[in-house]
Amino acid sequence: MPRSSAVRFSHFLPSLLLLLAGLAAAYVKDLNVFFTSLFNVLPTLVLLLGGSYCAVYCRQRELFLMVTVYIAYFLLDTQTDYYRDNGRVREDAAVVFHLVCLLLPLLFGLFAAWQERTHLFQDMVARFAVLLAFGSVALGLEQSYPQALLMWLSEIRWPALHGAWMSLIQLSYPVFLSAFLLLAWQYWRNPRPLHAAQLVGLLGVFWMLPKTFILPFTLNIMCSQVMLMIAAAVAHEAYQMAFRDELTGLPGRRALNERMQRLGRNYVLAMTDVDHFKKFNDTHGHDVGDQVLRLVASKLSKVTGGGRAYRYGGEEFAVVFAGKTLEECLPHLELIREAIASYNIQLRNQENRPQDDHQGRQRRGGSGASSVSVTISIGAAERLEQRTPEEVLKSADQALYSAKGAGRNCVMAFGQTRRGAVRTENAAG
């Protein structure tokens, strides 16, 4: 997946917005009857809708995350309801609250990092068994040895690390920290909207617990928001699978088709193709071929002039310029062609890929590594009177074939002759 800052920010944005909305709602005073009633049923409603959505798409990890948050909500909501109705807490309030503060981050981190790698039914049984085991042990201890359990949970084991600001039991802080580090490492290894939502959701839970008996409806609001983050992340990833190409990170064919329906009156479409890609693939292997496609996609994604690149299929890409004329777009396409033609690709083992751009530049600057270069051909067409986007795209494809016939490694507009092609002197075959 692409690892640019913009992509990473897009992973976190929906969850951060939900977290901020939850924080703002929790501090609102004097709620009217409508919002009071809404917050009372919101967690259950979110679980039913979001859980059903996850179940339909067999997203068991996300489903158990939501169930874990909801169980914590149910246990604490029983205590807060009693507190609001009677003005005092129940006798078991302390031990239940401390158990939730310890087990919620533990189970949240466990289920968040537990990926589905086995048969769906086996995976579901295993997750349910873990949840049942933790719940049964906690319930048994709470019912049989409440005072001994309370003393064990609330004991300050590390006085030097205990601060006056700590409003949770001391044991919960290392558990929260461990879960956060685990989920941060998971996101670093595999940046996904779901992994970002897990991180932000854990922060929301950490903020919520100390405010459970202080701010009205904090529990209802934040538990609902955390479950919404998970459901929204599932929807975000479903969108990416449908509209974004996994290999290159560019928007895919379906995204291009939708964009073409909203182009307006003036636009330019360009089709690009990697020259002799099949021969290159057969010579250097599919791994290097994928590397070439990622390179071309990376360069095309930086096209200037207001263009937007899409993965059309195979080694073909499309570039859309909305509100532009052909004369305005050709120089920008030529810049992209030159950037790709002048770039030397260092052939390396996929297991030895650099972790960042700086390390990659250092390796490319070294000596002794074999390198190859590729070129692309580009055909462009402009919308004329009474032409549909599909017809313009077909004209761009015809211009691409003309560029291939003109010697490749050139940019040609629809209707140009070979002499009119924009190309370099050493246009390669």
Side-chain angles (χ1 to χ4, degrees), residues 275 280 284 292 295 340-345 371-375:
D275 295 329
F280 184 93
H284 298 285
V292 167
L295 163 70
I340 293 173
S342 61
Y343 191 93
N344 288 325
I345 303 174
S371 64
V372 295
S373 61
V374 296
T375 61

Side-chain angles (χ1 to χ4, degrees), residues 23 26-27 84 207 210-219:
L23 294 176
Y27 282 102
R84 281 194 293 265
W207 174 88
K211 305 291 192 300
T212 299
F213 291 94
I214 300 174
L215 294 176
F217 298 106
T218 297
L219 180 68

Side-chain angles (χ1 to χ4, degrees), residues 6 27 88 135 140 173 180 189 195 221 268 286 293 325 352 354 368 387 403 408 411:
Y27 282 102
R88 58 185 177 86
Y173 289 96
F180 183 83
R189 285 192 62 201
H195 296 162
I221 294 170
V268 172
H286 292 286
L293 293 178
T325 64
N352 195 30
R387 297 189 69 187
R408 295 182 172 83
V411 181

Side-chain angles (χ1 to χ4, degrees), residues 274-381:
V274 180
D275 295 329
H276 295 303
F277 183 73
K278 185 180 184 303
K279 180 180 178 182
F280 184 93
N281 226 11
D282 293 340
T283 302
H284 298 285
H286 292 286
D287 287 342
V288 178
D290 289 347
Q291 187 179 338
V292 167
L293 293 178
R294 282 192 290 266
L295 163 70
V296 173
S298 175
K299 297 296 183 182
L300 287 173
S301 68
K302 298 179 177 64
V303 63
T304 54
R308 180 74 185 274
Y310 297 81
R311 174 85 182 276
Y312 190 77
E315 67 271 25
E316 289 188 312
F317 299 84
V319 184
V320 177
F321 294 90
K324 301 291 183 179
T325 64
L326 191 59
E327 289 73 17
E328 292 173 326
C329 299
L330 288 177
H332 300 287
L333 293 172
E334 174 62 15
L335 287 175
I336 289 294
R337 185 204 61 76
E338 289 180 352
I340 293 173
S342 61
Y343 191 93
N344 288 325
I345 303 174
Q346 303 297 321
L347 299 182
R348 56 178 178 268
N349 193 307
Q350 288 294 315
E351 298 178 355
N352 195 30
R353 288 181 58 83
Q355 297 298 318
D356 51 46
D357 292 339
H358 177 69
Q359 187 178 359
R361 285 192 295 269
Q362 285 183 331
R363 292 188 185 182
R364 288 192 290 270
S367 59
S370 60
S371 64
V372 295
S373 61
V374 296
T375 61
I376 61 171
S377 300
I378 305 177

Side-chain angles (χ1 to χ4, degrees), residues 373-414:
S373 61
V374 296
T375 61
I376 61 171
S377 300
I378 305 177
E382 182 180 9
R383 179 192 180 274
L384 303 175
E385 292 296 328
Q386 307 299 324
R387 297 189 69 187
T388 65
E390 290 74 16
E391 292 174 332
V392 178
L393 191 66
K394 185 176 180 180
S395 297
D397 199 45
Q398 292 176 1
L400 172 62
Y401 279 102
S402 298
K404 294 284 189 180
R408 295 182 172 83
N409 191 22
C410 62
V411 181
M412 182 173 284
F414 179 69

Side-chain angles (χ1 to χ4, degrees), residues 36-348:
T36 301
S37 302
L38 175 63
F39 290 151
N40 279 326
V41 301
L42 189 59
T44 303
L45 184 62
V46 172
L47 176 67
L48 291 176
L49 295 178
S52 300
Y53 179 68
C54 293
V56 167
Y57 288 97
C58 300
R59 302 291 291 260
Q60 296 188 149
R61 171 164 58 161
E62 294 79 1
L63 176 60
F64 273 84
L65 275 173
M66 298 177 71
V67 169
T68 300
V69 173
Y70 187 82
I71 291 175
Y73 156 76
F74 177 79
L75 293 173
L76 294 181
D77 185 59
T78 303
Q79 302 291 337
T80 55
D81 282 346
Y82 185 90
Y83 176 73
R84 281 194 293 265
D85 295 340
N86 298 277
R88 58 185 177 86
V89 296
R90 286 174 41 167
E91 293 182 359
D92 61 345
V95 67
V96 170
F97 179 73
H98 293 334
L99 276 173
V100 171
C101 292
L102 179 65
L103 294 180
L104 177 56
L106 178 63
L107 290 173
F108 191 95
L110 175 62
F111 285 136
W114 185 348
Q115 300 184 25
E116 298 99 335
R117 296 187 182 278
T118 60
H119 189 275
L120 287 176
F121 180 75
Q122 295 175 348
D123 183 84
M124 181 183 67
V125 170
R127 292 175 191 270
F128 182 76
V130 169
L131 189 61
L132 182 62
F134 275 96
S136 300
V137 171
L139 179 61
L141 292 174
E142 192 273 335
Q143 292 292 320
S144 303
Y145 312 100
Q147 290 303 317
L149 180 61
L150 179 61
M151 292 179 61
W152 184 82
L153 288 171
S154 57
E155 179 185 353
I156 298 177
R157 291 167 171 77
W158 310 285
L161 299 177
H162 194 74
W165 56 271
M166 293 183 175
S167 52
L168 304 177
I169 57 172
Q170 196 178 43
L171 276 176
S172 67
Y173 289 96
V175 176
F176 265 109
L177 180 61
S178 300
F180 183 83
L181 292 177
L182 176 63
L183 299 186
W185 177 76
Q186 179 180 242
Y187 179 80
W188 179 80
R189 285 192 62 201
N190 185 14
R192 290 174 51 185
L194 172 64
H195 296 162
Q198 292 169 354
L199 274 170
V200 179
L202 187 64
L203 291 177
V205 169
F206 182 73
W207 174 88
M208 172 196 73
L209 288 174
K211 305 291 192 300
T212 299
F213 291 94
I214 300 174
L215 294 176
F217 298 106
T218 297
L219 180 68
N220 305 59
I221 294 170
M222 193 51 64
C223 285
S224 301
Q225 296 300 82
V226 172
M227 290 188 288
L228 277 174
M229 292 176 197
I230 297 168
V234 175
H236 190 176
E237 293 192 349
Y239 173 86
Q240 285 191 330
M241 286 189 287
F243 290 91
R244 190 166 293 275
D245 177 61
E246 184 176 4
L247 175 65
T248 64
L250 291 178
R253 180 80 168 267
R254 183 174 297 179
L256 173 64
N257 291 338
E258 290 212 354
R259 183 69 181 93
M260 286 169 57
Q261 307 307 314
R262 299 178 281 107
L263 283 175
R265 296 179 59 84
N266 300 312
Y267 56 86
V268 172
L269 300 180
M271 289 293 295
T272 75
D273 182 90
V274 180
D275 295 329
H276 295 303
F277 183 73
K278 185 180 184 303
K279 180 180 178 182
F280 184 93
N281 226 11
D282 293 340
T283 302
H284 298 285
H286 292 286
D287 287 342
V288 178
D290 289 347
Q291 187 179 338
V292 167
L293 293 178
R294 282 192 290 266
L295 163 70
V296 173
S298 175
K299 297 296 183 182
L300 287 173
S301 68
K302 298 179 177 64
V303 63
T304 54
R308 180 74 185 274
Y310 297 81
R311 174 85 182 276
Y312 190 77
E315 67 271 25
E316 289 188 312
F317 299 84
V319 184
V320 177
F321 294 90
K324 301 291 183 179
T325 64
L326 191 59
E327 289 73 17
E328 292 173 326
C329 299
L330 288 177
H332 300 287
L333 293 172
E334 174 62 15
L335 287 175
I336 289 294
R337 185 204 61 76
E338 289 180 352
I340 293 173
S342 61
Y343 191 93
N344 288 325
I345 303 174
Q346 303 297 321
L347 299 182
R348 56 178 178 268

